[in-house]
Amino acid sequence: MNEINKKLCGFALNIIKFRRTEAGSTPTAKQILKKYKRENIIDNELDFKILNRYAATGMVSFNIKIVKNQVQPTAKLTNTGRWFVTQLD
């Protein structure tokens, strides 16, 4: 009986770990672009890579914002970028 319980517990833990990795997966390009529909501060490297790719096509524009005497890079979608994101829905 103990062996069966151990196997069931192990199986349940594997399912929980699988669901956690699904929930913590990396965001898609669509989700990242939606985040920058209005001007927003670029907060991580993955976002910058995606935004830089779409900036080459003219869908994203970069800017610099001064917040509390610190220079922070920002990005926002252009009109073409907003249209593109609505087409992805």
Side-chain angles (χ1 to χ4, degrees):
M1 193 68 163
N2 286 334
E3 291 178 20
I4 294 173
N5 287 339
K6 286 181 185 179
K7 288 181 181 179
L8 287 175
C9 289
F11 180 73
L13 287 174
N14 286 336
I15 291 175
I16 291 169
K17 287 178 186 177
F18 179 73
R19 288 187 180 160
R20 285 184 185 165
T21 56
E22 281 184 350
S25 63
T26 58
T28 62
K30 176 180 158 183
Q31 292 169 338
I32 291 172
L33 289 174
K34 279 186 172 184
K35 182 178 172 183
Y36 293 96
K37 204 168 192 177
R38 303 274 187 256
E39 191 169 16
N40 201 353
I41 296 171
I42 302 170
D43 54 356
N44 61 32
E45 191 70 28
L46 177 64
D47 288 0
F48 180 72
K49 287 180 182 179
I50 301 278
L51 291 170
N52 198 22
R53 182 183 319 152
Y54 284 95
T57 62
M59 294 186 195
V60 176
S61 65
F62 293 107
N63 201 359
I64 294 174
K65 191 179 248 184
I66 299 174
V67 179
K68 297 181 182 176
N69 295 330
Q70 292 181 350
V71 177
Q72 296 180 338
T74 62
K76 72 175 187 175
L77 295 179
T78 61
N79 291 337
T80 308
R82 282 190 217 122
W83 174 83
F84 181 71
V85 168
T86 58
Q87 298 303 311
L88 291 176
D89 289 334

